[in-house]
Amino acid sequence: MKIKEVSYKTGLSKDMIRFYEKLNLISPSRNKNKYREYSNQDANKIILIKQFNNLGIDLKTVQKLLKNNDLEESISKLNISISTLENQLQWITNRIKLAEDINIILNDLSLDIEYRIIKNTSFFFYNHDSSEEYHTLLSKTNGLKFSYRIKSENINLDKFPDDIGLISFYKIKDVKLNYKEYTRKDIFRTYLKINEDKLVDKHIINNIKNKLKQLNKDIRGDIFIS
């Protein structure tokens, strides 16, 4: 096969195929006119290299794997790539869930919907602390919801403790922060207008309680304000 044909078959540009050859990743034969001749084996190898590279394994590492035929090293590199991809998927999924949740909120507000009961909701609340790990999470708030929590045992107090943290829709992998898991809970969500300079107080909580009483329901859990 000429380079144009192997480019078509593999989906890789001619320049990249030549770059693979420059790195000695492939070694096509030459015909009597000194033109490169690519075999089906070359094409298969190009696709394999492309797959490894797309998984986040750099070409120099791919070069070593192919040269040494090191299966153990290949497995190790692939496991690292799998872990990296799973971590990326975790954040992408969280961002999608957060975007969907914000979309629901904006639609409710546009339609003047006062409350919503969300069935079988699960999420994780990561408590604020001064650790570097928590501040690293703060930099990823495009996938997390910053929230103020009032624990159920403190709902009847006049003042509430400073209990803030981050809500994630999934357990965050490889994070050792303290968290509380809320599994399959029915969430009562309501919308309140609060002036920017006003703190959450017992009066506001009583308003929420009154709404629940009108629905013949009581607060049985923590309150989150976002």
Side-chain angles (χ1 to χ4, degrees):
M1 287 181 285
K2 296 293 187 292
I3 192 168
K4 182 178 180 180
E5 185 179 356
V6 77
S7 174
Y8 177 78
K9 284 191 172 183
T10 61
L12 213 64
S13 70
K14 291 185 283 187
D15 286 342
M16 186 56 73
I17 292 171
R18 292 190 186 100
F19 184 62
Y20 280 7
E21 184 179 353
K22 186 178 179 180
L23 293 177
N24 294 318
L25 292 168
I26 55 172
S27 300
S29 60
R30 301 267 180 167
N31 62 21
K32 60 182 181 180
N33 295 320
K34 305 299 182 182
Y35 289 111
R36 293 175 180 84
E37 286 285 350
Y38 296 88
S39 65
N40 286 326
Q41 185 177 1
D42 290 326
N44 291 336
K45 199 172 185 182
I46 287 169
I47 292 172
L48 179 62
I49 295 165
K50 180 182 174 184
Q51 288 176 334
F52 272 107
N53 197 218
N54 286 343
L55 289 171
I57 301 175
D58 64 89
L59 291 177
K60 287 188 177 180
T61 301
V62 175
Q63 185 183 41
K64 292 177 183 178
L65 297 178
L66 294 175
K67 182 179 178 181
N68 301 325
N69 196 24
D70 192 335
L71 294 179
E72 288 187 6
E73 179 72 6
S74 299
I75 291 169
S76 174
K77 292 293 182 181
L78 281 173
N79 282 332
I80 292 172
S81 293
I82 289 168
S83 179
T84 300
L85 290 169
E86 285 176 343
N87 188 51
Q88 292 172 354
L89 177 62
Q90 166 186 265
W91 289 111
I92 290 170
T93 305
N94 248 328
R95 288 175 67 182
I96 291 171
K97 291 285 290 183
L98 181 58
E100 290 173 345
D101 192 52
I102 292 173
N103 188 46
I104 291 170
I105 292 171
L106 294 178
N107 274 295
D108 285 351
L109 292 174
S110 68
L111 297 172
D112 291 327
I113 294 174
E114 290 188 18
Y115 68 87
R116 175 185 292 274
I117 296 176
I118 307 169
K119 296 285 187 180
N120 295 324
T121 301
S122 298
F123 61 91
F124 296 81
F125 181 80
Y126 288 84
N127 297 82
H128 171 273
D129 65 30
S130 59
S131 70
E132 184 178 340
E133 190 172 35
Y134 183 84
H135 285 281
T136 299
L137 277 188
L138 275 176
S139 67
K140 298 180 178 179
T141 49
N142 57 351
L144 301 172
K145 181 187 289 187
F146 189 80
S147 186
Y148 176 93
R149 181 178 66 171
I150 302 172
K151 294 181 181 179
S152 57
E153 61 265 29
N154 296 323
I155 286 172
N156 293 317
L157 299 179
D158 289 329
K159 293 184 178 180
F160 305 110
D162 183 21
D163 191 14
I164 58 176
L166 297 169
I167 289 176
S168 173
F169 294 98
Y170 298 93
K171 185 178 179 181
I172 303 173
K173 187 178 179 183
D174 300 327
V175 166
K176 298 178 181 178
L177 296 171
N178 290 327
Y179 67 87
K180 181 176 178 180
E181 181 177 358
Y182 296 82
T183 305
R184 299 181 65 82
K185 302 293 184 182
D186 289 349
I187 304 297
F188 173 79
R189 172 185 282 167
T190 188
Y191 306 101
L192 300 172
K193 291 183 179 180
I194 302 174
N195 294 332
E196 290 184 5
D197 59 344
K198 189 173 183 180
L199 298 176
V200 175
D201 57 22
K202 193 171 183 179
H203 172 71
I204 292 171
I205 302 306
N206 284 335
N207 287 341
I208 296 173
K209 285 183 177 180
N210 290 334
K211 282 192 177 184
L212 284 167
K213 284 181 180 178
Q214 292 172 10
L215 299 169
N216 295 318
K217 295 181 183 294
D218 290 318
I219 295 177
R220 293 182 183 178
D222 300 339
I223 292 177
F224 293 88
I225 300 170
S226 300

